Amino acid sequence: MSRDGIEHRAAKISSVTGLSTLLSIGFQLISVPICLKYWGKETYGSWLALYAAFMLVRSLDTGFVSYVGNKLNYLYHQDQSALREHLASSITGIAVIGALQLSIGVAAIFFDGIVLLLGVTSGPATDHRSSLALLVLIGTWALSGSYLGIVHRLMIPTGMMYQAAWWSMGFQVSQFTGIILAAMLHFDMLQTSLLFAFLQLSIYLASAIYIRQKLLAYYPWWRGGRSRTGIKDLGRSMWLTASNLTQQGSINGTVILVSALSGPAAVPVFTTVRTLANLWTNVTNVLTTPLLPEVVRYHATGEGRKLVTVSEAYWVLVGTAVNLGVLITYPLIEPMYGYWTAHAVALDKALLCLLLASIVLANVGGSISLYLNGINSLAVVLAASVVRGILSLGVGGFLFYHFGLAGFGMGILGGELLALLVMGRYFVKRELSRQGVSLPVRSLAPITVSTASVLLFLMSDGFGFPLAQYLYPVALLGVAAAALWGWRGLEPGVRTRLVRMFGNRFVGKGDA
């Protein structure tokens, strides 16, 4: 196996993305007590709601950026001329979306209903400084981040995911620096947005200069563009845009809805618990993202059997890592939570268990989701996002009146379960069948046992069932046994290569 094999590339990229994740976790854990101390729950909650509104508007371009980025990844292995055309032509689509985003930002200044709909303010009187703050964030992003986001996607097929991970780390550092400075200086929403926008613009321009130097063959990026191609790509990306908008609506829309139903002070209660649960989403992303170029290549070259092998290995390694990690760290959360939030926020245990359960389910479908997004399988991606959105906001909002914030947790968990079933069925029945392969039932058995063990314990403890304490060791045993079962089910050659990867000894030849 050559040093350019999938294991070496995945390990190299995962090392830096792992460091980036540790920083992200550290930044989240550090920022919460600092912001609560210097801003208080009301101001901190207002910023969280404002940022959620910005991310919701920003999601209007994420579908187009992802679509074009996936197309560049695909065309890199087939047609370099077409790659350059779609890269250059994307300016047209970005211009259309940017105009729409700016229109929303301007409308938020003049129409109180837009501001209230976005959850920026909760009182009857509109705070125009908050509206202007939203426009600053939207405007800076529309004029810089959207198109450069597509340019960044060039780094994936060109073998620069390692460098891209370092730039991602830079973005995190700049955002963390901005929010901490704003809180400690007691900035209001407008001052915070100006600082945040300045740092965001600076890091994106610096990355553009770097990419220009490293990938000079593609510069200028806008050369050879055709408006017609850009508009076509924009039209074709609408399904993905709707999917991302729905997904962001379920994520940031929940924050906005919590703010609207309970006021800004309730937002940190929800977001702190979600932050803890999402730490494991970061772990999934770290271990899954390096596989993107490979699964897209397997799709493009018709190597369906390798897709099955990647899925099986993913469930054994990533599935076990997340499930076991959730269980091992769970007893530490409650005693550390009060210290982390300086006892300014009370832990909602039921919400915590429900969100952790949703993360465990999402992790099961992590590799499938990566694959479907990577090949622009827009219809099923949209269907999964709609399911998540409807249950997270619709059902969650309804259950809020009966179960409080835990109602949103129930909606999110139900959404992840149905989304997993939708994507899994499509992957097996459509994608693998098209490649002439099937997914053995025995491949699903270990991850099913592992996940069910974790879910049973979380649901029992979250709702105070008396047997919960006895189910904890049972869950640990179930995950460990399922990991061993799944490991033995892998092909001998795959096991050997994985052992070599972890031992950092890359010898022989061959590719996955």
Side-chain angles (χ1 to χ4, degrees), residues 207-280:
S207 68
I209 295 173
Y210 174 82
I211 296 173
R212 176 186 178 276
Q213 293 175 340
K214 291 295 184 179
L215 299 176
L216 193 58
Y218 295 95
Y219 189 82
W221 306 306
W222 53 85
R223 182 173 57 195
R226 300 173 57 193
S227 298
R228 183 177 180 181
T229 300
I231 294 298
K232 281 185 176 180
D233 282 346
L234 179 61
R236 291 167 180 163
S237 71
M238 283 299 143
W239 289 104
L240 190 54
T241 297
S243 171
N244 283 320
L245 186 60
T246 304
Q247 185 173 347
Q248 284 298 319
S250 63
I251 296 174
N252 295 300
T254 305
V255 174
I256 294 172
L257 192 56
V258 169
S259 178
L261 294 176
S262 299
V267 174
V269 178
F270 177 81
T271 57
T272 51
V273 174
R274 190 173 69 176
T275 294
L276 293 176
N278 282 345
L279 297 181
W280 293 105

Side-chain angles (χ1 to χ4, degrees), residues 89-244:
S89 303
S90 62
I91 290 181
T92 303
I94 288 297
V96 173
I97 299 173
L100 176 60
Q101 290 172 324
L102 288 172
S103 298
I104 294 175
V106 172
I109 296 178
F110 295 101
F111 299 99
D112 293 354
I114 299 294
V115 179
L116 297 175
L117 180 63
L118 292 173
V120 175
T121 57
S122 59
T126 300
D127 182 357
H128 290 286
R129 286 181 66 84
S130 295
S131 303
L132 188 57
L134 180 62
L135 177 60
V136 168
L137 293 174
I138 293 174
T140 307
W141 175 257
L143 297 175
S144 62
S146 296
Y147 183 65
L148 291 180
I150 293 177
V151 174
H152 287 163
R153 297 297 290 266
L154 271 176
M155 302 174 78
I156 296 178
T158 54
M160 295 179 62
M161 282 192 72
Y162 181 75
Q163 293 86 341
W166 280 105
W167 277 107
S168 175
M169 198 182 307
F171 300 146
Q172 293 178 20
V173 172
S174 67
Q175 291 177 342
F176 172 76
T177 302
I179 192 67
I180 293 300
L181 282 176
M184 296 183 69
L185 295 174
H186 299 283
F187 279 1
D188 62 15
M189 295 301 97
L190 178 57
Q191 293 170 322
T192 302
S193 68
L194 287 170
L195 176 60
F196 196 89
F198 170 76
L199 293 173
Q200 176 181 265
L201 179 61
S202 299
I203 194 70
Y204 265 95
L205 291 179
S207 68
I209 295 173
Y210 174 82
I211 296 173
R212 176 186 178 276
Q213 293 175 340
K214 291 295 184 179
L215 299 176
L216 193 58
Y218 295 95
Y219 189 82
W221 306 306
W222 53 85
R223 182 173 57 195
R226 300 173 57 193
S227 298
R228 183 177 180 181
T229 300
I231 294 298
K232 281 185 176 180
D233 282 346
L234 179 61
R236 291 167 180 163
S237 71
M238 283 299 143
W239 289 104
L240 190 54
T241 297
S243 171
N244 283 320

Side-chain angles (χ1 to χ4, degrees), residues 13 19 28 32 157 199 204 253 281 303:
I13 296 166
L19 176 59
Q28 292 178 62
V32 169
L199 293 173
Y204 265 95
T281 299
E303 300 177 270

Side-chain angles (χ1 to χ4, degrees), residues 23 38 53 84 139-140 153 176 185 238 248 264 284 297 371 408 411 418 446 448 463 484 501 510:
L23 278 179
Y38 289 96
R84 289 181 170 85
T140 307
R153 297 297 290 266
F176 172 76
L185 295 174
M238 283 299 143
Q248 284 298 319
T284 298
R297 177 165 62 88
Y371 170 77
F408 285 107
L418 289 183
T448 301
F463 291 97
L484 181 60
M501 179 187 74

